[in-house]
Amino acid sequence: MKKSIVIGLVVLALVVLVSPGIVGKLAERSVDTQLEWAADENREFEITASRFDRRWFSSEGTHRIAFADTPAGAALRETLGFEDGDGEPAIIIETRLDHGIVPVSSVSGENASLMPGLGRATSHVSVEAADGTITPLPGVIQTSIGLTGAVTSHYALEPGGTGDVSWGAADVEVYGDARKGRVRFKGWLDSFAMSENEGGLSTGRLDLAADMQITPYGFSVGDVEMQLASITANNGGHPARYGPLTLTSHSSLADDRVDSDFELTFLMEEVPDIGTVAWAVRGEFADLDAGSLGRVREGMKRAGEAEAPADLLAEVEEDLKRLVAAGFTADFEQLDVTLPEGTVGTTLNVNIRESDPADFVWTSVLLALEAEADLNVPKSIFDRIAAQNPNAHGAVAMGFLQLDGDTYRMAAEYRQGLLTVNGNPVPIPVPSM
C-alpha cells in the first residue's frame, strides 16, 4: 500500500514538474501550427512572431499581424483608406503561456483551472497606428490548448471608449483545430461608434456564429449565421442607415459534390428619390464538383494577387469549364426587392446537365442548360420605371410583360436553345460547335 502511494507521488511529481518543459515545446508547436493555418487562410495579412521566450513552466511571446506585402494586402490597405507612406499599422498580441499537462503556474491567475491540456494562455492586444503610436485595447483573451493541440479562446469586453471611438459590451469564443481543419466561432458585440470631423460610423448589435470544416479540396463547409441590427454612416452631414441585415448559410460535402443553401435579408432606409428598399434572397446550389470548385477558388486567389486583374478569366477558365461540365443546379426560390410601392418578386431555377469536359466549349452550355424564371412587377413600380425610361413599354408591346390585375408578370422557360416567354417561343440562334 505504501509502495503504491510512493509510486503515485512520483508519477504526480513527473506530471507536475517534468511535463511542463516537454509539453511546453508541444504547445509552442501547436500555436505555430494555428498561426500558419490562419495566415494561409487569410492572405491579406502577415503574422510574424517578433519574440518567443520559452521557459520550463511558462513562455512569453509577441506576435504581430500586419498587411501582407501582396496585391491582396495592398488592396485591403487601400480599401481601409491607407495610402503609400502611411507607415505599417498592425495588431500586436502579447501572450503568456503556462504549459504542462497540469499547468500549475496558472492556478493563481484569472479563470484558473487544473484541467489537463498542453497549456493555458493569457493575451493582451494592442493596436499600432500608422504613425507608430501603440494603443492597448481593453479586455483579455483567455486561451486553453487541449491535449490534441486544439485551441479555445474567449474574449470578453466591457463597454467603454477612447477618443472618437466607443464600443458596447462584447463576448467572443473561438475554437480552432488546425490538425482537423475545424473552426467554431460564436460572439456578439452590442455596438460600435467612430466619429471624425463631420462624419462618423456606428453599428447596432452584431451576432455571429459559425462552425466550419476544411475539406480536402482547400475550402471549408459548414454553418454560418449573422445578424446585424444596423449601420449608420454620416458623411459630411448626409446620413445613411442600413439594416437590419441577416445571413444564414449551410454547406456540406458528400463524396465529391458540394451542396449549399443560403438566405439573405437587407434593408436600406431613405434612399434618395426612392425611400426604403429591402432585399430578400433565398436559394441553393446543388451537386457542385468539389475538385473543380476548389481549383477555381485557388485560381481566383492567385489572380487576385496578380498585378493585372484582367488575367482573372485566363487563370480560372479551364477549371471553370470543368466545374460547369460536371453539371449542377442553382435554385433561387426568392429574389425580392421591396420598394414603397410594392415588391418586385423573382424566382429562378437553373440546371446544367453533366457533359464531357474534353469536348466542352462555352456554347455547349446553351444545349446543356435548362432554366425557368418568373418575374412579378407591381404596375405602380413599372409606371415609375417607364416614366424615366419609355423604352420599357417595348417589353409590354412584345409580350414579355403581361398585365394581370395590378401586376406585370413574365414566365420564361429555356430548354435546348428554345426560349419560351409567356407561352410564346423565342428562338435563340445557337452557334455551331
Side-chain angles (χ1 to χ4, degrees), residues 15-21 24 54-59 96-100 102-106:
V15 169
V16 174
L17 300 176
V18 178
S19 72
R54 184 167 62 88
R55 296 183 291 273
W56 192 258
F57 286 100
S58 64
S59 300
R96 173 190 167 91
L97 174 65
D98 297 311
H99 36 73
V102 179
V104 293
S105 58
S106 66

Side-chain angles (χ1 to χ4, degrees), residues 22-32 97 99 118-119 145:
I22 300 172
V23 176
K25 187 63 177 177
L26 297 176
E28 179 183 343
R29 289 177 180 174
S30 176
V31 171
D32 289 342
L97 174 65
H99 36 73
L118 293 183
I145 305 174

Side-chain angles (χ1 to χ4, degrees), residues 196-274:
E196 182 178 1
N197 299 328
E198 297 182 359
L201 176 72
S202 63
T203 70
R205 182 180 172 102
L206 170 67
D207 290 89
L208 181 62
D211 188 348
M212 305 298 292
Q213 176 74 51
I214 191 72
T215 70
Y217 304 99
F219 59 86
S220 298
V221 295
D223 302 318
V224 177
E225 294 185 9
M226 182 182 74
Q227 297 88 35
L228 177 61
S230 64
I231 300 177
T232 302
N234 188 350
N235 185 9
H238 299 87
R241 188 178 188 278
Y242 312 90
L245 182 152
T246 64
L247 169 66
T248 59
S249 173
H250 171 74
S251 56
S252 60
L253 175 68
D255 296 327
D256 61 348
R257 295 283 175 160
V258 177
D259 295 337
S260 176
D261 59 76
F262 57 91
E263 184 171 357
L264 172 69
T265 63
F266 181 54
L267 184 73
M268 180 183 296
E269 295 184 359
E270 299 180 3
V271 178
D273 301 324
I274 297 179

Side-chain angles (χ1 to χ4, degrees), residues 126-413:
S126 301
V127 175
E128 182 178 343
D131 62 1
T133 303
I134 297 178
T135 304
L137 296 183
V140 177
I141 301 174
Q142 301 288 347
T143 301
S144 62
I145 305 174
L147 292 173
T148 63
V151 173
T152 302
S153 296
H154 179 257
Y155 178 63
L157 178 66
E158 296 293 330
T162 176
D164 297 328
V165 178
S166 63
W167 56 84
D171 191 279
V172 178
E173 183 169 292
V174 181
Y175 168 88
D177 188 340
R179 184 173 60 89
K180 294 183 178 180
R182 187 175 184 183
V183 174
R184 290 199 304 265
F185 179 96
K186 186 175 183 180
W188 52 267
L189 171 65
D190 262 343
S191 62
F192 177 81
M194 177 176 59
S195 60
E196 182 178 1
N197 299 328
E198 297 182 359
L201 176 72
S202 63
T203 70
R205 182 180 172 102
L206 170 67
D207 290 89
L208 181 62
D211 188 348
M212 305 298 292
Q213 176 74 51
I214 191 72
T215 70
Y217 304 99
F219 59 86
S220 298
V221 295
D223 302 318
V224 177
E225 294 185 9
M226 182 182 74
Q227 297 88 35
L228 177 61
S230 64
I231 300 177
T232 302
N234 188 350
N235 185 9
H238 299 87
R241 188 178 188 278
Y242 312 90
L245 182 152
T246 64
L247 169 66
T248 59
S249 173
H250 171 74
S251 56
S252 60
L253 175 68
D255 296 327
D256 61 348
R257 295 283 175 160
V258 177
D259 295 337
S260 176
D261 59 76
F262 57 91
E263 184 171 357
L264 172 69
T265 63
F266 181 54
L267 184 73
M268 180 183 296
E269 295 184 359
E270 299 180 3
V271 178
D273 301 324
I274 297 179
T276 299
V277 181
W279 288 266
V281 181
R282 185 175 71 253
E284 64 178 11
F285 291 92
D287 292 328
L288 289 164
D289 179 63
S292 299
L293 182 62
R295 290 189 295 270
V296 168
R297 177 179 177 272
E298 285 302 310
M300 293 184 68
K301 282 186 176 182
R302 292 193 301 270
E305 295 175 355
E307 294 183 0
D311 294 337
L312 173 60
L313 181 59
E315 185 70 44
V316 302
E317 184 175 14
E318 290 304 315
D319 291 317
L320 191 59
K321 286 181 178 179
R322 294 187 185 95
L323 177 63
V324 176
F328 66 89
T329 62
D331 186 10
F332 294 90
E333 302 174 14
Q334 183 181 26
L335 289 168
D336 291 353
V337 180
T338 300
L339 306 174
E341 297 91 342
T343 299
V344 178
T346 307
T347 62
L348 174 64
N349 178 268
V350 176
N351 178 47
I352 298 180
R353 299 190 307 275
E354 185 175 355
S355 58
D356 187 353
D359 300 329
F360 181 88
V361 292
W362 286 115
T363 51
S364 65
V365 177
L366 295 175
L367 295 179
L369 172 65
E370 296 180 356
E372 296 179 352
D374 289 291
L375 173 66
N376 299 290
V377 183
K379 184 177 182 301
S380 55
I381 294 179
F382 177 83
D383 291 342
R384 173 192 279 197
I385 296 173
Q388 298 174 350
N389 184 7
N391 292 331
H393 289 289
V396 177
M398 298 174 65
F400 292 153
L401 289 175
Q402 295 181 346
L403 186 61
D404 180 9
D406 294 330
T407 303
Y408 282 98
R409 304 186 187 279
M410 181 183 72
E413 183 177 342

Side-chain angles (χ1 to χ4, degrees), residues 69-93:
D69 187 18
T70 62
L76 183 59
R77 279 178 59 98
E78 183 178 351
T79 300
L80 296 177
F82 294 102
E83 299 179 357
D84 293 339
D86 277 349
E88 294 296 332
I91 296 174
I92 299 173
I93 303 177

